[in-house]
Amino acid sequence: MIICFDIGGTAIKGAGAWAVNDIRPLPRQQTPVHDFDAFVGVLKTAISDIGAVPDCVSFSITGVIDPDTDKAIIANIPCAHGRLLKSDLEAALGLPVLLANDADCCVLAEYGVGAARGHHVVFGAILGTGVGGGLVIDGKLINSTGGFAGEWGHGPVAATRAGNPPLDLPRFACGCGLEGCLDAVCSARGMEKLHKHISGKALTAEEIIGDWQTGDADAVRTIDVYIDMLSGPLAMVVNVTGATVVPVGGGLSKSAALIEAIDQAVRLRILRRFARPLVVQAQCMVEPGLVGAAVLGFDFLANRRIS
C-alpha cells in the first residue's frame, strides 16, 4: 500500500492506494503554504488516518524538481520552494518519497488507466489554466529524477501569422518572462486574450467555444487562429517524440469538438499517418494527480522488488 498526495497551492488531497484501481481518498486539507512544519504535519495526519503503514509516499506537485540541484521550484508554496524537498520529506516522514510534476502525473494516469493504455510512447498535453505536458516512454516518466521535459507551453514558438486567411499577431508576453509562448495564447486565458485581440470582445473561453460551436463568425475566426497556432508546435512534438497518442487534460479538453478539431489539424501536419484519432480527450478526469502518483508509486515498488 502507498500514500498518494496531490499538492496544490490551495489544497492537499491525499489517498491510500492498494492498487491503481483501488484508491481511497481522504478529506482535503488546506495547504499551509508558509509553514513547512505545518505542511509536514498535515501529511503526517493523513498518513496516520489511513491506519496502515505505507511502503512509500508519492506526490504530485505543482512545480518541478531541478535536476541539477534537486531543489523544488514551487512558486505557489513558499515553504517548499527552494528546498531539497525529497530528502526533507523522507527525513520528516521516515518513508521513501517520490515526487513528480502534476502534468507528468496526469500523463501517468492516462498511461495506467486512461486513454493511453497499451501505448509505448505517450505525450500528454494540458490545455487549461496553462499549457503543459509530460512524456512517458514504456511506462517511465522522462522526468523520473526531476526536470522540465514536456513543457511545450514555454519557448518563443507561437506563430505571428496564423489562420485562414492569415492574420498578423503580436508576440504576447508570458508569465515565465518570455514572449511568444503557447502558454500565453493557447491556455484558457490565452484564448480569451486572442479573442479580444481579434474581435474586441471580452468573453470567457467557455463562451468562445460555445459561440464557435453555434457558428458565431467572431468565435469561428478565433478558434481557426487558435488551432493553427497550437497544431503546428504539437505536431512537431509528436514528430520528435514518436508519440502514438496525445491525451489532453485541463479545462479546454472538456470540449470534445475542440479536441477533435485539434486532432484533425495535427494529423495533417505530422510525418506519420494515423487512420485513427491521435489527439484525444483524457479519460482519467477524476483526481488524475492522485491516480498518476499511485502509478508512480507502484512502479517504484515493482522495480524495488526486482532489484
Side-chain angles (χ1 to χ4, degrees), residues 38-92:
F39 179 83
V40 169
V42 171
L43 304 179
K44 286 183 174 179
T45 298
I47 293 171
S48 175
D49 287 346
I50 290 292
V53 179
D55 295 298
C56 67
V57 189
S58 187
F59 291 82
S60 167
I61 61 172
T62 58
V64 296
I65 303 300
D66 188 314
D68 296 318
T69 65
D70 292 331
K71 291 183 178 180
I73 303 172
I74 313 177
N76 62 346
I77 306 179
C79 70
H81 182 73
R83 280 184 172 270
L84 296 170
L85 191 59
K86 175 178 168 64
S87 58
D88 286 355
L89 288 174
E90 286 182 334

Side-chain angles (χ1 to χ4, degrees), residues 234-255:
L234 186 52
M236 183 62 71
V237 170
V238 172
N239 283 344
V240 169
T241 63
T244 56
V245 67
V246 181
V248 182
L252 295 179
S253 73
K254 295 177 182 178
S255 170

